[in-house]
Amino acid sequence: MIIGIDFDNTIADYTGVFYRVGCALGWLPESVGQSKNEVKQYFIDQDNEARWTELQGIVYGKEITQARPYPGVLAAMQRLYAQGHRLTIVSHKTKYPIIGERVDFHNAATQWLLSHGFIGSADAPVDPDLVFFNETKVQKVARISQLKCDVFIDDLPDILTHSDFPAQCHGVLFAPNALQGFSGPQINHWQALDAWLCSLLN
């Protein structure tokens, strides 16, 4: 099978990173919750979404090294590759931030994938030529279709339910905190993917 996987918040775990970077910059009080959504909501409540946009640019750029792979994701992808599946990473990611220092997000994410063993090593599960960063969600969905993915794993329901999402592709939601109201299949941790794929193949 051809299995496509999203990057941000699916492979790369930013838990606590937005909080730590925001506090270090003096943009957040320490009393704010540590999740990405709580940090985002703080800036919205302060009527300062521009600062939130700038913080995203810093985290997804020069501070991406603080992100960690989700537990079990590399091992799961290596198992799939060893079983003969073709893996591709398809991400919605602009090349440069809207606000702030002009850092190449695509290069930063590629270096992260290299440093954590997802590409560029003997046992890496993904060919570097099968890593795609797309400027818009529409382009991302079109890429999933072009690659003829049989399965696509993403943390965003709006990708999996997009009107142009290919009908033949099985969309799987990656949701560490189970998401209510999503009718399709979802996994809460990477160790659960094997069992779901077995049920699909059988």
Side-chain angles (χ1 to χ4, degrees):
M1 288 194 300
I2 300 172
I3 300 175
I5 305 170
D6 175 50
F7 176 66
D8 291 316
N9 306 301
T10 303
I11 293 174
D13 180 4
Y14 294 90
T15 301
V17 179
F18 289 91
Y19 173 81
R20 289 195 299 272
V21 174
C23 286
L25 290 167
W27 294 356
L28 286 174
E30 292 185 0
S31 58
V32 172
Q34 295 199 23
S35 74
K36 177 182 175 181
N37 284 336
E38 287 171 311
V39 172
K40 178 181 180 180
Q41 191 59 50
Y42 170 80
F43 287 116
I44 291 172
D45 292 344
Q46 298 295 312
D47 195 26
N48 198 357
E49 289 189 62
R51 181 53 60 84
W52 164 243
T53 300
E54 188 172 358
L55 179 60
Q56 289 182 89
I58 294 168
V59 169
Y60 292 138
K62 61 185 180 182
E63 295 295 342
I64 195 173
T65 53
Q66 292 199 42
R68 292 289 175 263
Y70 273 100
V73 60
L74 180 59
M77 291 173 67
Q78 287 171 328
R79 283 195 302 274
L80 293 172
Y81 181 73
Q83 291 163 8
H85 301 294
R86 188 184 190 199
L87 303 186
T88 179
I89 294 172
V90 185
S91 170
H92 167 217
K93 183 183 286 290
T94 59
K95 191 169 179 65
Y96 298 108
I98 299 169
I99 302 172
E101 185 179 346
R102 191 173 170 82
V103 176
D104 187 329
F105 288 161
H106 295 183
N107 181 63
T110 299
Q111 293 304 312
W112 188 95
L113 288 165
L114 275 165
S115 69
H116 289 284
F118 290 91
I119 59 174
S121 62
D123 59 349
V126 183
D127 186 317
D129 291 336
L130 291 175
V131 177
F132 302 96
F133 298 111
N134 304 270
E135 292 274 346
T136 67
K137 289 182 180 179
V138 170
Q139 290 172 346
K140 174 177 177 173
V141 172
R143 179 73 70 178
I144 295 167
S145 182
Q146 177 190 356
L147 291 167
K148 296 181 169 54
C149 291
D150 299 293
V151 173
F152 194 80
I153 304 163
D154 204 305
D155 69 298
L156 294 179
D158 59 349
I159 294 294
L160 305 177
T161 59
H162 193 282
S163 58
D164 292 330
F165 190 82
Q168 81 281 0
C169 182
H170 298 273
V172 180
L173 185 72
F174 178 71
N177 301 308
L179 184 67
Q180 302 298 319
F182 180 75
S183 59
Q186 57 180 293
I187 57 172
N188 309 124
H189 51 83
W190 276 97
Q191 291 85 347
L193 182 60
D194 294 299
W196 183 84
L197 283 174
C198 284
S199 68
L200 176 67
L201 293 170
N202 297 328

